[in-house]
Amino acid sequence: MDINYELIWVLSLLLVAIYLFITNKVRMDVTALIVIVAFAISGTLTAGEALSGFSDPNVVLIAALFVIGEGIVRTGIAYQVGDKLVKVAGNSEVKLLILLMVAVSGLGAFMSSTGIVAIFIPIVMSVAAKMDIPPGRLMMPLGFAGLISGMMTLVATPPNMIVSSELVKSSHEGLSFFSMTPMGIIVLILGVIYMFFIRKWLGNTEGSKKAETRVRRTMRDLIRDYKLSGKARRLAIRPGSPLIGKTLDELHLRSRYGAYVIGIERWRKIRRVMVSAFGSTELQVHDVLLVDMADPDADVRQFCSEQMLEPMILRGEYFSEQAREVGMAEVALVPESTLIGKTLRQIAFRSKYNLNVVGIRRNHDVLDGNLLDETLAMGDTLLVIGEWQQIRQLQAFTHDFLMLSLPAEVDEVAPAVSQAPHALICVVFMVVLMAFNLVPNAIAAILACLLMGQFKCIDMDSAYKSIHWPTIILIVGMLPFATALNKTGGIDLAVNGLISLVGDMGPYVMLMSLFVLCATIGLFISNTATAVLMAPIAINAAEHMNVSPYPFAMAIAIAASAAFMTPVSSPVNTMIMSPGGYTFGDFLKVGVPFTILVMIASVLFIPIFFPF
């Protein structure tokens, strides 16, 4: 028997990649790039085959959908939906549960589930406080609805598009825009019913009892909670000041005076505007510095005298008045955050994120003193200040941050709120093009992006920044695995193994086996990588059994989104863990039974919509 060394090499590389994904010792996107290089250098794939993911239309489609999602956020549509939801639900928890899950699943069908859940977390926290119920009773339904949204449309999540692409590669017709929708609706109904019965248990978990319920606070509330009231100063730069013409990095005001510049008022034409305080920002005469005095005992008079600064009035409502230009937000460090164990100075937080940290809470206590040299710990909550656009960009760093709370002023600063009708038109236009196959899906999404740009729903800078490049690179890097496994016989080996185990038991057992295998693999690696590996195996299994590949392909798509079982199965679960006060065990107790329900529903209903 000949030993297939190439297959051994591919499987070894796959195991190494999975290990790196699980341990997070190397970033997932970097691991994906390493895979590309390894395949090309080893000769397993040609350079063209290894890099083929960059030319895959689905990669372009996914990038375009990030832009469309950002347009929905910038026009305030998502927040308006949240406000409407609260008004319609009134004081009925059951009505709120249904509306919440339907709204999140509906919006998530056209934008990132991570993004929509991040938007709804502060809304749900506020609603929980107003209705006097534990946030844990709403956070799990929110997270599950975000995952279920991936089952709603073809473009709802990358695995759906990967499965469709694999069907096309196997000379079959790809999935239509609404192919997923019937199963998605069934799973959503199951989810609502399931959450209706277990919601009281969710509210009684130990973690949920300890979770802090907060109302939608204002900037003034945040200033009070982080004890900033007596620390902020407004200081105008007088002519002749030694600060003029120098950058903040050159001045070292924090180390010299305990003064941390968090914003700059500057004359623009006939009015003052707020300018972000970056390290490279050069100070000008008549600038007004918004300064956080980190040391409450610092001699402000000496600082003003030496640097020729004039103190100005700072009223309590100052930040609210500046809310259209300057924002605040509370962000929590997630357990796997790369920032834990480092100081803000080591991270170069201001330079990296273009935001300033003005407060840190640890175990509900506000830290005093020099925050720059404070070592960050798991569970820390940071109060950041800066441009709203930069604050929203933090939502993309889901491996480090959870956007825990946005102040009420955020509702007034959607930068393109007047263009909301146009954004809706763009989304509907894209859906119609995709639903009726008038143009390829990627082209439809690009057209929608161009229209959003034309209608000023989004600008070019925001569009490029909205794309979550680590996800794009991960997909590009994992796609060659399917090619490599096919070339080296790995897919045939997996299919033959499945056929020998359950092939004689019929297509229903095979469908269930594929679902279980896909859901199990998804516990350890991302659902995108899981779909890349499992889609060709499912389609080849169908060909060996002489049945339609569509039921098996659909099972993979549904199972890839059924990441309900652990808090690390999906970024959505990680995000709701802290606000909901959940433990790892809570996800197992709630997620495993629901995953089994989804599997049973898939085995029963998928063959009805897609006969064998």
Side-chain angles (χ1 to χ4, degrees), residues 400-422:
D400 282 326
F401 300 108
L402 163 64
M403 187 68 69
L404 197 57
S405 175
L406 288 169
E409 288 87 350
V410 71
D411 294 335
E412 304 173 7
V413 295
V417 67
S418 62
Q419 304 305 109
H422 294 100

Side-chain angles (χ1 to χ4, degrees), residues 505-513 545 552 603-604 607-608 612:
M505 300 180 189
Y508 282 92
V509 176
M510 176 61 77
L511 190 149
M512 183 175 68
S513 300
M545 297 180 69
F552 293 171
V603 173
L604 291 177
I608 295 176
F612 292 115

Side-chain angles (χ1 to χ4, degrees), residues 346-363:
Q346 291 171 335
I347 299 165
F349 193 96
R350 179 161 66 181
S351 300
K352 185 174 182 180
Y353 301 107
N354 292 330
L355 293 166
N356 295 295
V357 176
V358 293
I360 300 177
R361 293 180 72 180
R362 182 173 298 160
N363 298 325

Side-chain angles (χ1 to χ4, degrees), residues 78 81-82 85 100 103-104 107 116-125 142:
V81 170
L85 181 152
L100 174 66
V104 171
L107 280 171
I116 193 64
V117 169
I119 289 169
F120 269 82
I121 282 177
I123 295 172
V124 169
M125 294 289 284
L142 169 63

